[in-house]
């Protein structure tokens, strides 16, 4: 699992971006959230996730809020 921070949320479309320690932003879709609803996520919130490969590049999968 990789640790990062929610960088940007696009609520009307149900996706966002997380940033890790390299500064790269990685796309995630609300369907990849585990144990949390998209509406309760906040920018700046710490998360952990797995990196996968999607149709347009890297994506965050199995996104969970870090405690």
């Amino acid at each position: 699992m990789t640790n990062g921070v929610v960088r940007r949320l696009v609520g009307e479309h149900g996706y966002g971006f997380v940033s890790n320690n390299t500064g790269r932003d990685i796309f995630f879709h609300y369907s990849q959230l585990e144990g949390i609803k998209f509406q309760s996520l906040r920018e700046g919130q710490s998360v952990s996730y797995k990196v996968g490969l999607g149709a347009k590049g890297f994506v965050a999968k199995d996104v969970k809020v870090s405690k």
Side-chain angles (χ1 to χ4, degrees), residues 25 51 65:
D25 287 347
V51 178
V65 173

Side-chain angles (χ1 to χ4, degrees), residues 15-60:
Y15 68 85
F17 296 89
V18 294
S19 181
N20 60 18
N21 57 359
T22 65
R24 171 181 265 172
D25 287 347
I26 301 174
F27 173 87
F28 75 92
H29 188 261
Y30 78 90
S31 64
Q32 291 299 319
L33 296 175
E34 299 220 353
I36 187 170
K37 293 185 180 185
F38 185 80
Q39 296 81 0
S40 61
L41 269 182
R42 301 288 173 248
E43 291 179 3
Q45 195 167 18
S46 295
V47 292
S48 61
Y49 57 94
K50 294 179 185 174
V51 178
L53 192 56
K56 296 183 181 181
F58 292 110
V59 295

Side-chain angles (χ1 to χ4, degrees), residues 2-23:
T2 302
N3 293 317
V5 174
V6 176
R7 190 74 154 176
R8 180 173 172 223
L9 294 170
V10 183
E12 60 272 10
H13 296 290
Y15 68 85
F17 296 89
V18 294
S19 181
N20 60 18
N21 57 359
T22 65

